Each structure stands twice: as C-alpha cells, then as structure tokens.
C-alpha cells in the first residue's frame, strides 16, 4: 500500500546538485530565453545548471508560468 503523504519525487535544491557547476543545458538555455523575452530581461551568458534553474524559477514567477 502506498502512503499518499510521502512525496515520491522530492525536488533537490540546485545548490545540492552534483552537476550544478556544469554549464546549463540546451533545453535550459532555450526555455530561459523564452521566459526572459516575456519578462523583458537579458539572460546572462555562461550560467551553470544550478544558476539557470534558479533563474528559470524566478522568471516563471515573474511571467506567471510557474507551476
């Protein structure tokens, strides 16, 4: 029997990612540019995966695209 109170897909803080210092992925970069265009902001060059994830979260909130 499965406990509905247990989160089976917990989100990990980007600061705790073992690959967080690697360059952002192609999909992250593409989505960031879409969000940045909607928010009227520039995407900094050379973001890490962790920094890109945090910026995505921020821009999702600004644009109303957040979950």
């Amino acid at each position: 029997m499965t406990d509905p109170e247990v989160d089976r897909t917990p989100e990990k803080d980007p600061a705790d990612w073992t690959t967080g210092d690697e360059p952002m992925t192609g999909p992250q970069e593409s989505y960031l540019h879409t969000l940045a265009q909607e928010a009227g902001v520039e995407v900094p060059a050379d973001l890490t995966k962790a920094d890109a994830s945090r910026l995505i979260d921020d821009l999702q909130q600004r644009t109303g695209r957040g979950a």
Side-chain angles (χ1 to χ4, degrees):
M1 186 163 135
T2 306
D3 184 354
E5 297 293 319
V6 176
D7 185 357
R8 300 286 178 206
T9 56
E11 287 192 28
K12 198 172 189 181
D13 185 327
D16 296 332
W17 294 357
T18 58
T19 60
D21 289 335
E22 293 178 5
M24 72 177 139
T25 65
Q28 280 181 311
E29 184 175 14
S30 176
Y31 188 44
L32 266 175
H33 283 286
T34 298
L35 291 170
Q37 184 177 9
E38 287 182 23
V41 299
E42 293 287 323
V43 175
D46 301 325
L47 289 175
T48 64
K49 286 181 183 179
D51 289 338
S53 179
R54 287 193 272 291
L55 184 54
I56 286 170
D57 289 344
D58 177 52
L59 293 177
Q60 283 179 327
Q61 293 299 315
R62 288 190 203 186
T63 62
R65 286 186 173 232

